[in-house]
Amino acid sequence: MNELLKRIVITLIIIVCGLMIISKSNKEKIDPGSAEIMTFEILEHIKYLSSDKLEGRFPGSVGSKKAIKYISKHWEAQGVLPAGTKKYEQPFSYISKVSLGSRNILRVRNSKSRYKIKKDFIPIGWSGNGNIDDKVVFVGYGFDIDDSLSWNDYINVNVKNKWVLMFLNGPDGNSTHSPYGYHKKLYNKVIAARDREVGGILFMEREENENNKLKPLVYRQSASSAGLPIIQITHAVANNIINDNDRTVADLRSQIDQGLASFSFELDRKVSASVNLKFEKETATNVIGFIKGSDPILNKEYIIIGAHYDHLGYGGHMSGSLNPDSMQIHNGADDNASGTAGILELSHKLMMNKKLLGRSIITICFDAEEKGLLGSKFYTQTPTKDLEQTAIMINMDMIGRLNEKPITLGGVGSAKTLSKTIEVVQQNHTLKIDKNISGMGFGRSDHASFYREDIPVLFFFTGAHQDYHKPSDDWDKIDYQGEKEVLNFVYDLIVQLSTNKEKPIFAEITNDNSDNQSPSFNVTLGVIPSYGSQKIGMEIDGISRKNGPADKAGMKKGDIIIEINAKKIRNIYDYMARLAELNSGDRIIVKIIRNKIEIELMLEL
């Protein structure tokens, strides 16, 4: 009898446990809802994604992981196939933070003054670590220009292994149409100094601000260490180094600005300084789905629809918040829960009507867009589907504030046929569209990463507003009916683009409003940079031009460019600066590292 009772109890326990598991499983299942785009579903998505539970969806945070799970569960319920490296997920790491280590010191020899970190001096976030105890050479603006102008601040001075002291900017201050162009940027000055094998760089503002505040310590994404100590100092520290009662840094600047000529000389005093920075890494995650098209030929090509799902977390200084003094949750309802909700609505309708699709669809919710388009850059350099088969990338960033205005549609000029296709689709819609043929004025979003890879792009954007990057960007300000109009148009546009026989052909967009603050390139090697690489040099992810200079020379994915014409390359910024010096027809020697072996290649441009 006891044995029978025991069996009955065990059986009941098994049944109860089974029911509990089934119940839990059912709770976790997502109802995909209507296959049509519905305002109440848009509202539901945005309310969850921009709720305080998700704490601003900062990359790598608990709230971000909840957003990833929410997106993945909906795609699973809709039948959208996983297309990441780990089911729907494509994780990647990035340096999230730089901080001061235990020993950051600056002393001026033969001076009784003692200087405090952050108050009198501070390293920049991409400075190299190290100690330098040597003489100082004043080099004015630190220019080395030999193009439309000729200005060399290193002529007739010996700077090898010494500190150089320089002003930021140039003689014309912050003028955007400066003849000194990109040479005014600190990074170009660092390259010029490093080419002359200086020991370290001390720099100061051209004109000291009223409160004498130094620039905060911030890490520069996509830049490895500069390889030498770089320290910002106040004018007071600089005057102590100069140690001349009759000549201050302000007098020196005035002399240079009036004469518009180099004025460099070695100072008597030595500076002893050490830089010690610590770097922290974080993991971010793109979420990627796939819907196979029905045409047996066209379905080998892809239309990417994307939107970033990350935001600013709790905000704070250097977060991108426009309310930096307030540590509040930045929910980012419009930026960009609205675009993420759009992806979820579109993916469901496209999945339910995939027989209408010719080309296949890749759906991507990008992470770390607010950190500098890191998610989309990572995808374009490590795609989970053949990037060359991408017909077009459509980006939705901030599409929730239409409010009866025209929507801005950027990137229309990135393929000649796009304008006509848009006009055809527009005939069946009342949505007002402001077609921006260039559209790259709004280039600080994920479509820009694809445009750089010569892929046509379109960018939907309902406009800026006073809640942008503030805690007040909440769900109750979203125009849900307006977003539904936008999504219905995007859906029809995707179907049209998926069935067009001809793949859109990329066209470079010209920008009449460009200035000379960035280097222009007369040549290209034809390589794809690895933006996420932290290796010293510029690692390449592949060849972008068949029969281009790099391809003909035998360069391969994984090669690391460390020199061009004996000039060192530490990262992509060095690489771009070197390219700006070259011309078509030049023969150059490129030194690479392949499998830990240094190789020199001859390239003809």
Side-chain angles (χ1 to χ4, degrees):
M1 184 66 183
N2 287 340
E3 185 65 28
L4 178 61
L5 183 61
K6 187 187 291 185
R7 287 181 180 178
I8 292 171
V9 170
I10 291 170
T11 303
L12 287 172
I13 290 171
I14 292 170
I15 292 170
V16 169
C17 289
L19 289 171
M20 287 175 68
I21 291 168
I22 292 169
S23 175
K24 184 178 180 183
S25 175
N26 286 335
K27 280 183 181 178
E28 288 185 350
K29 282 186 178 179
I30 297 286
D31 179 3
S34 171
E36 292 302 312
I37 294 167
M38 309 294 287
T39 52
F40 76 89
E41 289 181 352
I42 296 169
L43 171 63
E44 184 179 274
H45 293 318
I46 294 177
K47 280 184 77 171
Y48 177 76
L49 290 167
S50 64
S51 67
D52 285 353
K53 290 179 183 177
L54 271 66
E55 299 179 284
R57 309 184 304 281
F58 192 83
S61 67
V62 173
S64 177
K65 290 177 173 64
K66 288 179 180 177
I68 293 166
K69 185 177 180 181
Y70 184 85
I71 295 162
S72 301
K73 286 290 183 184
H74 274 83
W75 280 349
E76 187 178 16
Q78 294 168 7
V80 175
L81 297 173
T85 52
K86 296 181 178 179
K87 295 186 178 179
Y88 292 103
E89 298 178 22
Q90 185 194 38
F92 60 95
S93 63
Y94 70 98
I95 293 177
S96 60
K97 186 179 179 183
V98 59
S99 58
L100 294 168
S102 58
R103 187 173 174 80
N104 289 276
I105 299 169
L106 185 144
R107 293 193 181 98
V108 179
R109 296 295 187 187
N110 301 318
S111 170
K112 294 180 180 179
S113 299
R114 291 293 177 263
Y115 298 116
K116 292 183 178 179
I117 187 76
K118 297 184 182 179
K119 179 178 181 292
D120 303 302
F121 74 99
I122 191 168
I124 61 171
W126 40 281
S127 168
N129 288 334
N131 309 288
I132 304 291
D133 183 1
D134 215 311
K135 285 189 172 182
V136 181
V137 179
F138 175 75
V139 291
Y141 285 109
F143 284 156
D144 179 12
I145 307 174
D146 187 19
D147 42 39
S148 57
L149 290 172
S150 181
W151 186 320
N152 188 345
D153 283 316
Y154 291 92
I155 199 164
N156 298 326
V157 287
N158 176 16
V159 297
K160 188 173 182 179
N161 297 327
K162 299 173 184 175
W163 290 102
V164 289
L165 172 64
M166 67 178 69
F167 289 111
L168 284 178
N169 224 309
D172 55 355
N174 294 318
S175 171
T176 54
H177 299 287
S178 168
Y180 308 101
Y182 67 92
H183 297 286
K184 295 198 299 184
K185 292 188 174 182
L186 177 59
Y187 203 88
N188 291 84
K189 298 182 180 190
V190 170
I191 292 172
R194 203 172 59 212
D195 283 348
R196 284 156 181 83
E197 299 181 26
V198 306
I201 298 172
L202 303 167
F203 72 91
M204 56 193 158
E205 293 285 354
R206 178 175 175 270
E207 294 181 276
E208 195 149 55
N209 49 45
E210 292 179 6
N211 52 16
N212 299 329
K213 275 192 175 180
L214 300 169
K215 294 179 182 295
L217 185 68
V218 180
Y219 180 71
R220 180 175 181 170
Q221 294 293 345
S222 302
S224 61
S225 159
L228 74 169
I230 306 174
I231 302 173
Q232 183 185 5
I233 60 176
T234 62
H235 278 214
V237 175
N239 282 325
N240 191 20
I241 296 170
I242 292 170
N243 192 32
D244 186 340
N245 292 329
D246 297 323
R247 187 165 55 182
T248 65
V249 291
D251 296 328
L252 290 171
R253 179 185 60 78
S254 180
Q255 180 178 338
I256 296 169
D257 291 356
Q258 289 175 19
L260 294 178
S262 171
F263 183 58
S264 303
F265 57 95
E266 187 171 296
L267 301 168
D268 292 331
R269 283 188 162 174
K270 288 185 175 182
V271 166
S272 175
S274 63
V275 173
N276 181 252
L277 300 178
K278 298 188 299 183
F279 300 94
E280 298 176 24
K281 283 192 173 183
E282 184 57 83
T283 298
T285 305
N286 293 329
V287 195
I288 309 171
F290 179 70
I291 302 168
K292 190 170 183 177
S294 60
D295 188 291
I297 296 173
L298 291 179
N299 68 11
K300 294 176 177 62
E301 296 176 355
Y302 312 110
I303 295 172
I304 294 177
I305 53 171
H308 76 90
Y309 70 90
D310 66 295
H311 200 51
L312 307 180
Y314 282 83
H317 289 280
M318 309 313 301
S319 67
S321 172
L322 295 182
N323 246 2
D325 295 326
S326 175
M327 290 293 290
Q328 297 179 49
I329 295 175
H330 288 56
N331 285 319
D334 188 30
D335 186 15
N336 187 34
S338 66
T340 309
I343 293 287
L344 294 175
E345 286 296 287
L346 285 169
S347 61
H348 192 196
K349 188 168 184 178
L350 290 165
M351 187 67 202
M352 292 298 100
N353 295 281
K354 63 180 182 178
K355 63 181 182 297
L356 302 177
L357 299 173
R359 292 180 173 86
S360 298
I361 308 297
I362 300 173
T363 55
I364 311 180
C365 293
F366 297 107
D367 202 356
E369 187 268 357
E370 303 286 10
K371 292 288 183 183
L373 316 186
L374 299 187
S376 54
K377 285 178 182 176
F378 185 79
Y379 180 85
T380 57
Q381 303 313 316
T382 53
T384 58
K385 301 285 184 183
D386 188 354
L387 200 68
E388 289 187 4
Q389 295 303 314
T390 303
I392 189 170
M393 188 274 179
I394 298 173
N395 183 31
M396 299 181 294
D397 192 350
M398 297 173 61
I399 59 168
R401 299 281 189 104
L402 189 65
N403 298 323
E404 301 182 353
K405 307 187 306 292
I407 189 167
T408 297
L409 180 49
V412 178
S414 63
K416 291 181 179 178
T417 56
L418 286 179
S419 185
K420 186 176 180 180
T421 302
I422 291 162
E423 287 173 5
V424 169
V425 175
Q426 202 171 2
Q427 291 173 5
N428 299 318
H429 291 265
T430 58
L431 181 69
K432 297 173 185 175
I433 297 175
D434 179 9
K435 282 194 292 188
N436 188 328
I437 298 299
S438 80
M440 302 318 288
F442 301 106
R444 294 176 183 175
S445 188
D446 290 307
H447 59 284
S449 299
F450 292 84
Y451 176 81
R452 293 187 189 105
E453 300 300 323
D454 294 349
I455 294 170
V457 297
L458 288 173
F459 173 41
F460 287 84
F461 174 64
T462 55
H465 46 77
Q466 63 182 7
D467 300 307
Y468 173 72
H469 278 203
K470 293 179 182 177
S472 52
D473 182 10
D474 281 321
W475 66 267
D476 56 347
K477 296 172 184 173
I478 296 293
D479 176 11
Y480 300 98
Q481 184 59 44
E483 179 159 345
K484 179 183 175 182
E485 284 184 60
V486 172
L487 295 177
N488 279 324
F489 177 85
V490 176
Y491 170 81
D492 286 347
L493 179 62
I494 291 170
V495 172
Q496 183 70 45
L497 288 167
S498 80
T499 53
N500 286 348
K501 295 301 179 187
E502 297 297 322
K503 182 181 176 182
I505 299 172
F506 176 79
E508 190 170 351
I509 292 171
T510 56
N511 188 349
D512 295 334
N513 296 320
S514 63
D515 56 40
N516 63 344
Q517 297 303 298
S518 297
S520 58
F521 307 121
N522 299 317
V523 295
T524 175
L525 301 192
V527 298
I528 302 171
S530 177
Y531 290 96
S533 175
Q534 294 300 316
K535 294 177 181 176
I536 302 299
M538 195 196 78
E539 185 176 2
I540 69 169
D541 263 346
I543 302 298
S544 62
R545 276 182 58 197
K546 191 174 181 180
N547 295 320
D551 189 30
K552 287 181 178 179
M555 290 185 70
K556 301 176 181 178
K557 179 178 179 178
D559 287 349
I560 303 169
I561 299 173
I562 57 172
E563 286 184 11
I564 294 179
N565 284 345
K567 292 184 176 181
K568 295 191 182 300
I569 307 288
R570 291 186 62 87
N571 50 44
I572 191 171
Y573 296 101
D574 289 3
Y575 171 73
M576 292 191 295
R578 303 307 185 198
L579 276 190
E581 299 170 353
L582 304 175
N583 294 294
S584 180
D586 287 353
R587 286 188 175 185
I588 62 172
I589 296 174
V590 178
K591 184 182 283 188
I592 64 170
I593 295 176
R594 180 184 295 166
N595 298 326
K596 298 183 180 180
I597 299 171
E598 290 189 4
I599 303 171
E600 286 190 350
L601 302 173
M602 176 73 77
L603 276 68
E604 187 167 343
L605 305 178

